[in-house]
Amino acid sequence: MREAALDRPKDYVVVNNLSVMYHYRYDRTRNINDLEEAISYAEFAVNLERKGSPGRLLSLGNLAAFVFQRYVKTKTREHLEAAIAMAERAVLATAGGSDSGRAESLTNLGSMLHCRYKETNSLEDLEDAISRVRRAMTETPTEDSRRS
């Protein structure tokens, strides 16, 4: 499946959807193999998509969330660092745009940095988390439904 999708560039949507389905199954079963498949397909979807495409942001966000779930399951610091790196990539993918996904990406990154603060007790991580979430608030238009 992964190799076949290389021949059809639009298949990144299908690959991303498959990653989400594996994640749903992981939510239901808590089978780590399903989470690993979700991560694998999300990584593949990110690599299939053009930089700057709206679908890339979605796939990066999914990948960050799935890797964060792996951290929640394993409590392995390496997984938290990988999730933060993916979340930072998602924020960078929205740089300069007014895309509503930017606020969500900033909030997700802030939450992950907060988790790292709870693990490390580093005030720098807490300050960074607060900064990211505050920026998400200021960049979300007042008429946006997420602000009500």
Side-chain angles (χ1 to χ4, degrees):
M1 167 66 181
R2 290 183 190 113
E3 294 76 23
L6 288 173
D7 296 331
R8 299 182 303 269
K10 296 218 178 227
D11 281 352
Y12 67 83
V13 173
V14 174
V15 173
N16 186 64
N17 287 345
L18 187 58
S19 76
V20 171
M21 290 175 195
Y22 271 107
H23 188 260
Y24 280 138
R25 190 161 75 182
Y26 167 73
D27 279 344
R28 180 79 185 254
T29 66
R30 293 296 182 215
N31 181 334
I32 193 74
N33 293 328
D34 289 329
L35 182 57
E36 293 300 334
E37 284 294 309
I39 291 168
S40 178
Y41 279 108
E43 286 174 334
F44 190 58
V46 166
N47 292 328
L48 282 175
E49 295 172 45
R50 296 181 330 277
K51 287 190 176 174
S53 76
R56 185 173 176 84
L57 173 60
L58 177 64
S59 294
L60 279 168
N62 286 344
L63 180 56
F66 300 164
V67 173
F68 184 70
Q69 280 290 305
R70 183 167 54 188
Y71 161 72
V72 169
K73 175 88 171 170
T74 65
K75 298 297 185 206
T76 302
R77 177 78 182 273
E78 175 184 323
H79 296 154
L80 177 58
E81 295 302 329
I84 290 170
M86 287 297 117
E88 286 174 338
R89 284 180 62 192
V91 168
L92 288 174
T94 64
S98 60
D99 184 70
S100 63
R102 181 165 174 79
E104 186 175 346
S105 295
L106 283 164
T107 300
N108 291 341
L109 176 56
S111 295
M112 292 174 195
L113 290 165
H114 179 250
C115 281
R116 186 166 69 186
Y117 159 74
K118 289 193 300 186
E119 214 177 88
T120 65
N121 208 28
S122 165
L123 188 56
E124 184 179 329
D125 285 333
L126 182 58
E127 294 296 338
D128 199 8
I130 290 169
S131 171
R132 303 299 178 120
V133 175
R134 287 181 63 92
R135 212 163 55 202
M137 286 176 51
T138 61
E139 292 183 16
T140 302
T142 54
E143 65 275 1
D144 192 303
S145 63
R146 290 172 291 187
R147 291 201 61 171
S148 52

